[in-house]
Amino acid sequence: MPEILIYTTNICPYCVMAKRLLDKKGVSYTEINVDAQAGLRDEMMRKTKRRTVPQIYIGDFHVGGFDELYALEHQKKLDTLLGFS
């Protein structure tokens, strides 16, 4: 299974929904809360070229945010990315 990385903030309903979907899939992930330490949001923005959270990586693939994660699930492509099929 590929490593999953999710950038979040303390108050972000889309972050909560993304984590719930990943939890429902039974996968573990590394969460980086960009509010926790100065410079983490800048690191996220350099890596993703985006300012908003969540920002999700599955392996080297940048999924994007919750909308993109949900779209992959709806299109039945998320399981393949997660290594289930």
Side-chain angles (χ1 to χ4, degrees):
M1 180 175 306
E3 182 178 335
I4 300 168
L5 177 67
I6 179 169
Y7 289 94
T8 64
T9 59
N10 291 329
I11 302 173
C12 168
Y14 292 101
C15 298
V16 172
M17 291 188 295
K19 292 187 291 184
R20 280 188 190 151
L21 178 54
L22 294 171
D23 290 342
K24 180 181 164 191
K25 291 290 186 181
V27 297
S28 60
Y29 50 86
T30 301
E31 179 178 0
I32 298 176
N33 184 322
V34 299
D35 289 339
Q37 182 181 341
L40 288 177
R41 184 177 290 270
D42 290 335
E43 172 190 308
M44 178 196 77
M45 289 177 2
R46 277 192 304 275
K47 185 174 182 178
T48 66
K49 309 293 188 254
R50 297 185 184 182
R51 299 181 55 86
T52 60
V53 290
Q55 290 300 317
I56 305 159
Y57 278 87
I58 299 176
D60 292 331
F61 178 69
H62 180 222
V63 173
F66 173 74
D67 290 340
E68 292 87 357
L69 183 69
Y70 182 77
L72 288 170
E73 173 69 357
H74 184 72
Q75 297 165 0
K76 309 285 189 228
K77 295 179 180 178
L78 184 56
D79 284 353
T80 302
L81 271 177
L82 296 173
F84 292 153
S85 52

